[in-house]
């Protein structure tokens, strides 16, 4: 049996090929607005905290059914938590009224006549 140049192990010794730290690009989490004034629309959650409201906050939606500052979404490590800011009409997560909850991919949030779908990003 003949040997070829690929049998020369000294060419692939550990450390002979430099390794580089490769990081996959990350996508920010998104609130996809599917109903309500301004829908359809995607809202990036690129900050540590985002406030959703009628007249105050980072995401403003002109709906009479939203409070001025209705909900906060805060990133806690890899997770996102939604918190009701003592709104008049509350927050419904997948049809259940909540005060605060950890969001999961595909969760539906209803704030009055506004519906969002949460996308976790990567």
């Amino acid at each position: 049996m003949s040997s070829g140049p690929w049998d020369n192990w000294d060419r692939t010794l550990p450390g002979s090929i430099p390794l580089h730290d490769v990081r996959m690009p990350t996508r920010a989490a998104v609130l996809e607005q599917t109903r309500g004034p301004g829908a359809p629309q995607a809202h990036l959650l690129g900050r540590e905290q985002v406030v959703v409201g009628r007249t105050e906050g980072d995401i403003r939606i002109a709906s009479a059914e939203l409070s001025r500052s209705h909900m906060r979404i805060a990133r806690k490590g890899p997770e996102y938590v939604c918190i009701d800011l003592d709104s008049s009409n509350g927050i419904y997560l997948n049809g259940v009224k909540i005060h605060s909850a950890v969001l999961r991919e595909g969760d539906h949030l209803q704030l009055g006549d506004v519906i969002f779908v949460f996308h976790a990003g990567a």
Side-chain angles (χ1 to χ4, degrees), residues 33-73:
Q33 183 183 349
T34 59
R35 293 176 107 183
Q41 190 171 174
H43 304 279
L44 292 178
L45 302 175
R47 299 174 49 190
E48 292 295 315
Q49 293 189 43
V50 174
V51 173
V52 178
R54 184 180 71 242
T55 59
E56 298 175 9
D58 306 293
I59 299 173
R60 295 180 185 176
I61 300 173
S63 169
E65 296 183 27
L66 263 66
S67 295
R68 285 180 296 183
S69 291
H70 199 104
M71 169 181 72
R72 174 182 294 122
I73 296 182

